[in-house]
Structures are given as C-alpha cells and as structure tokens.
Amino acid sequence: MSGTGQTVGVNGIAHIQLTVRDPERCLPFWERLCNFLDMRTLIRGEDVLYCIGSRTGILVRGAPPDKRDRGFDQDRPGLHHFCFRARSREDVDAIYRFIESELDATIIHGPEEGDRFAPGYYSILVEDPDGIRVEVNHVPGKGHFGEGGRLGPGGTGAATTYGDQGLGD
C-alpha cells in the first residue's frame, strides 16, 4: 500500500525461479511438465531451463556443484510449495494423469476435494525429483471472494489459523 492509501493489483506472478541439486533429472522433469502446461522452452542449457507461457514462467537452474550437498526441505525457511491454477477440475485430472504416467514424480496426493481450504477446492500435490512440491488446483467461481467464501458477501473474514485441516478460527 502506498502512502496515499491506494493499492495496486498485480497481474499474477511473472515467473518463479527454482534452484535444484540434480539438474540432470530435474530439468527434463520441468521441461516436460511446462510443455504439457502449454509453456514453451525459451532457454535450454546444460544447467538451466526457462519455459514461458500460460501467463507465467518457470526458470530452473542447477545449484553450483559445491552447493548441491543438501536436498530440498519444505520445513526450512523459504519455498514450501507453489500451485498452478487450473481452469477446471478436468484439467487437474488431465495434468495428474500426465504426471503419473510420464514424469519421475513422487505423488503426495492424487485428485481430491479440499473444501477446508476454499469452496470447491480440488487439487493434486506432487514432488519433482529434488523434492520440490508442486500443486495444481481448481477453485470454481470467485473462491473466497464469492458466495460462501470467507471474503465474500456475508463471509466470516480472515482466518486465524491455517494447517493441514485448512482454515479455521
């Protein structure tokens, strides 16, 4: 918020950069996933990949060899996971089928309901070869800003807790 009391709405996230310790396995994983998500490869180098499209970009680079001794840990400070927003539940299902059959991914959970997070929330959660978690979800309508949402008309407002059980007060 600026000093004038106004806000600025951004247009999403332009790109995410990930640093991996096993680029030989991770770069092909990310290129195949991004290409399936209608992103095109802009940069493909020995230790770097950058795909753009679908209103975002994913840049993946290998960590310097002297810094590849530790794996990803989502409980350490930093990235926990990130989530692609799908246009429909059917798209979530199609992405899941692709990941399950075509990629070297660890499946944390297949397609499941998640109303505890938002009305109509539907998602999958996987890990890349380095253990970086990637979610794909679909939330119909306006989600929390719509009817039945916490921030929509008659909603309960901001939650005071968040965890595996969802949002709570």
Side-chain angles (χ1 to χ4, degrees), residues 144-157:
H144 280 297
F145 293 104
E147 287 294 324
R150 294 186 75 93
L151 304 176
T156 58

Side-chain angles (χ1 to χ4, degrees), residues 70-80 127 130-133:
R70 281 185 246 143
F72 179 76
D73 180 349
Q74 71 176 27
D75 289 328
R76 293 182 58 139
L79 178 72
H80 182 275
E127 290 180 350
D130 257 18
I132 297 173
R133 287 195 174 188

Side-chain angles (χ1 to χ4, degrees), residues 109-132:
H109 73 74
E112 70 176 29
E113 304 289 337
D115 286 336
R116 63 195 180 276
F117 297 111
Y121 198 98
Y122 184 70
S123 69
I124 62 171
L125 183 63
V126 303
E127 290 180 350
D128 83 345
D130 257 18
I132 297 173

Side-chain angles (χ1 to χ4, degrees), residues 74-118:
Q74 71 176 27
D75 289 328
R76 293 182 58 139
L79 178 72
H80 182 275
H81 76 280
F82 70 92
C83 182
F84 289 106
R85 183 181 311 256
R87 296 182 190 279
S88 68
R89 290 171 61 105
E90 294 78 18
D91 287 349
V92 173
D93 293 339
I95 294 165
Y96 176 73
R97 287 189 302 273
F98 174 79
I99 290 171
E100 183 181 45
S101 65
E102 300 290 328
L103 297 181
D104 179 17
T106 300
I107 306 294
I108 305 303
H109 73 74
E112 70 176 29
E113 304 289 337
D115 286 336
R116 63 195 180 276
F117 297 111

Side-chain angles (χ1 to χ4, degrees), residues 21-40:
R21 71 183 193 155
D22 189 352
E24 294 78 25
R25 289 178 61 211
C26 292
L27 271 57
F29 171 95
W30 283 104
E31 185 168 29
R32 292 187 71 206
L33 177 60
C34 289
N35 291 170
F36 185 78
L37 299 177
D38 203 25
M39 301 164 107
R40 294 181 56 196

Side-chain angles (χ1 to χ4, degrees), residues 151-167:
L151 304 176
T156 58
T160 57
T161 63
Y162 166 78
D164 290 340
Q165 302 306 311
L167 305 180

